[in-house]
């Protein structure tokens, strides 16, 4: 057990101010913080590329939820997809997304707002791949926000044969500090039952592991492996 400050304090909720809070990219563009929270860091690149590879693996139309530092998004654009829809709620990050979109090889559809506002407006059976990687906005949803999206929308949005991948590093990093020392066990026990509850078949859920070396000063992840889920809709 570690004694350092948790990412979220009891009852903390950032949702109300998140959209217009400053997007603090550091000078070398290796870190993004919003409201003092460590949203993304560039050392995650190999893992973000792994998620992007899964999301783009069926080609066609890809939905990405959370833009961050464009690490996954740029990788998605390197594949032979047709359209790339991206939801982002923070004003400063969205501005970056709009600039970035202008120079991409495939059609980009930027969508502004919290996913909870935007996703219900999206049509059924519309996407070949989905990558969900947003930042938790409250202590209450720290470990569960991904399931709110997956249970209510992921299966509906995917075409038959489509693929979902996602992560919640802020949650998984904490679980691997405090409750688990095996990343496969963490995923099987905390994620798979929720995915099955969302309507995905257990035999259509697979994962791959990669070795990673987070910098010692990283506040949200210190484990030496990362896990990439592949979840298929029949």
């Amino acid at each position: 057990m570690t004694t350092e400050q948790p990412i979220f304090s009891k009852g903390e909720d950032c949702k109300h101010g998140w959209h217009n809070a400053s997007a603090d990219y550091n000078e070398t563009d290796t870190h993004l913080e919003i409201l003092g929270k460590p949203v993304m860091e560039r050392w995650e690149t190999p893992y973000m590329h792994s998620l992007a590879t899964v999301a783009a693996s069926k080609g066609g139309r890809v939905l990405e939820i959370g833009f961050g530092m464009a690490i996954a998004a740029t990788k998605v654009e390197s594949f032979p997809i047709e359209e790339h829809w991206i939801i982002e709620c923070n004003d400063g990050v969205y501005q970056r997304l709009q600039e970035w979109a202008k120079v991409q090889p495939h059609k980009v559809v930027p969508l502004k707002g919290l996913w909870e506002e935007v996703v219900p407006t999206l049509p059924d059976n519309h996407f070949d791949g989905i990558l969900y990687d947003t930042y938790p906005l409250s202590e209450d949803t720290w470990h569960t926000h991904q399931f709110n999206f997956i249970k209510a929308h992921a299966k509906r949005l995917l075409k038959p044969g489509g693929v979902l991948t996602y992560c919640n590093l802020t949650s998984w990093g904490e679980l691997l500090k405090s409750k688990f020392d095996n990343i496969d066990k963490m995923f099987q026990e905390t994620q798979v039952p929720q995915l099955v509850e969302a309507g995905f078949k257990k035999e259509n859920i697979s994962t791959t592991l990669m070795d990673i070396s987070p910098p010692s000063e990283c506040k949200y992840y210190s484990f030496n492996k990362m896990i990439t889920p592949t979840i298929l809709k029949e």
Side-chain angles (χ1 to χ4, degrees):
M1 293 287 287
T2 51
T3 53
E4 66 203 44
Q5 282 290 102
I7 297 286
F8 285 94
S9 55
K10 190 80 183 145
E12 187 177 5
D13 190 335
C14 305
K15 195 169 185 175
H16 180 67
W18 194 264
H19 70 100
N20 60 1
S22 173
D24 297 324
Y25 295 91
N26 67 343
E27 273 185 39
T28 50
D29 204 32
T30 58
H31 292 66
L32 167 60
E33 287 195 357
I34 298 175
L35 293 178
K37 302 293 184 195
V39 174
M40 183 164 250
E41 298 178 2
R42 201 161 288 279
W43 64 265
E44 296 176 30
T45 295
Y47 179 63
M48 289 295 121
H49 284 182
S50 174
L51 294 173
T53 301
V54 173
S57 62
K58 305 291 184 184
R61 187 182 292 118
V62 176
L63 173 65
E64 186 173 355
I65 305 173
F67 182 66
M69 296 172 73
I71 300 172
T74 301
K75 185 68 173 175
V76 167
E77 284 292 321
S78 73
F79 293 103
I81 63 165
E82 289 164 25
E83 294 181 10
H84 190 178
W85 296 36
I86 306 174
I87 299 172
E88 175 55 53
C89 72
N90 177 267
D91 294 349
V93 178
Y94 188 77
Q95 204 172 339
R96 270 207 175 197
L97 162 56
Q98 288 178 301
E99 291 305 309
W100 173 90
K102 292 174 187 173
V103 295
Q104 298 313 308
H106 306 293
K107 179 183 176 182
V108 177
V109 181
L111 300 162
K112 176 78 168 72
L114 292 163
W115 72 258
E116 295 94 329
E117 300 161 351
V118 176
V119 165
T121 71
L122 301 179
D124 294 357
N125 303 307
H126 200 58
F127 297 98
D128 299 276
I130 298 175
L131 195 176
Y132 178 94
D133 177 22
T134 72
Y135 196 77
L137 298 186
S138 69
E139 190 248 349
D140 187 46
T141 59
W142 181 358
H143 299 287
T144 58
H145 66 90
Q146 70 273 29
F147 304 132
N148 297 339
F149 165 74
I150 292 168
K151 288 179 182 179
H153 298 289
K155 201 171 174 194
R156 168 185 85 74
L157 292 171
L158 284 170
K159 294 177 184 176
V163 63
L164 164 71
T165 192
Y166 75 96
C167 71
N168 183 351
L169 292 186
T170 317
S171 165
W172 299 351
E174 181 65 24
L175 292 173
L176 291 163
K177 278 179 192 170
S178 57
K179 292 185 177 169
F180 294 90
D181 57 9
N182 179 306
I183 194 167
D184 270 320
K185 191 168 191 284
M186 180 280 292
F187 195 87
Q188 289 301 321
E189 291 188 12
T190 68
Q191 308 295 300
V192 170
Q194 306 276 356
L195 297 172
V196 170
E197 203 178 300
F200 293 100
K201 290 189 175 171
K202 202 164 185 179
E203 58 266 33
N204 292 330
I205 302 167
S206 60
T207 58
T208 56
L209 296 185
M210 68 162 54
D211 294 323
I212 199 105
S213 298
S216 57
E217 66 273 14
C218 179
K219 294 174 186 170
Y220 56 91
Y221 206 91
S222 56
F223 202 71
N224 61 359
K225 289 186 186 298
M226 283 182 159
I227 192 162
T228 302
T230 299
I231 302 137
L232 295 169
K233 174 180 172 177
E234 288 195 331

